[in-house]
Amino acid sequence: MPESQPQRQLVEKALEDVSRPMQEAIISRISADSVLKPGFEPKLCKFSFLSLMVFPFIAPSSLLAKHDIQINEAFLNQLIEHNIKLMTSGMLQEPATQQGRQNENES
């Protein structure tokens, strides 16, 4: 969506007004504390965090419809919980674990 579109400008303003204090608090904590697992780049983690927060509001409606996603309060509450799990635990298995499962499936 081009920056000049009023819809994008409204979304950006709303995100800025509503989430800015929370984002600043979380991002400063990511940088200051030992919150990150070893080996993670703080700048990239900040960007990932922001992406998780912003994308639901700027995702094209055709993409949401294709995956049967409706942005509503219930979905956003579920997404918050999921994103917390995602950030604290990760969602992908270690490559060695994946290979072990692949070998089990082939037997």
Side-chain angles (χ1 to χ4, degrees):
M1 181 183 313
E3 288 184 30
S4 61
Q5 279 196 340
Q7 181 182 3
R8 178 175 171 160
Q9 292 170 353
L10 286 172
V11 168
E12 288 176 355
K13 172 110 176 76
L15 287 170
E16 180 72 21
D17 292 348
V18 172
S19 65
R20 181 103 170 138
M22 181 178 62
Q23 287 179 25
E24 288 176 356
I26 292 171
I27 288 172
S28 66
R29 182 148 185 239
I30 286 173
S31 299
D33 296 344
S34 301
V35 174
L36 295 179
K37 293 177 182 177
F40 283 88
E41 172 62 40
K43 186 175 185 176
L44 297 175
C45 290
K46 289 178 197 179
F47 190 79
S48 294
F49 170 76
L50 292 171
S51 297
L52 289 170
M53 287 191 61
V54 171
F55 186 75
F57 301 101
I58 62 171
S61 56
S62 59
L63 178 67
L64 297 174
K66 179 179 179 179
H67 296 283
D68 195 30
I69 296 172
Q70 296 176 0
I71 302 295
N72 55 40
E73 186 176 354
F75 176 79
L76 292 174
N77 285 332
Q78 185 180 13
L79 184 61
I80 288 169
E81 295 301 319
H82 168 78
N83 285 346
I84 290 169
K85 265 200 276 189
L86 185 65
M87 289 187 292
T88 57
S89 303
M91 85 176 181
L92 300 178
Q93 297 195 32
E94 294 292 326
T97 305
Q98 291 174 2
Q99 185 62 40
R101 288 191 178 190
Q102 229 173 18
N103 291 342
E104 288 174 8
N105 292 337
E106 291 172 2
S107 301

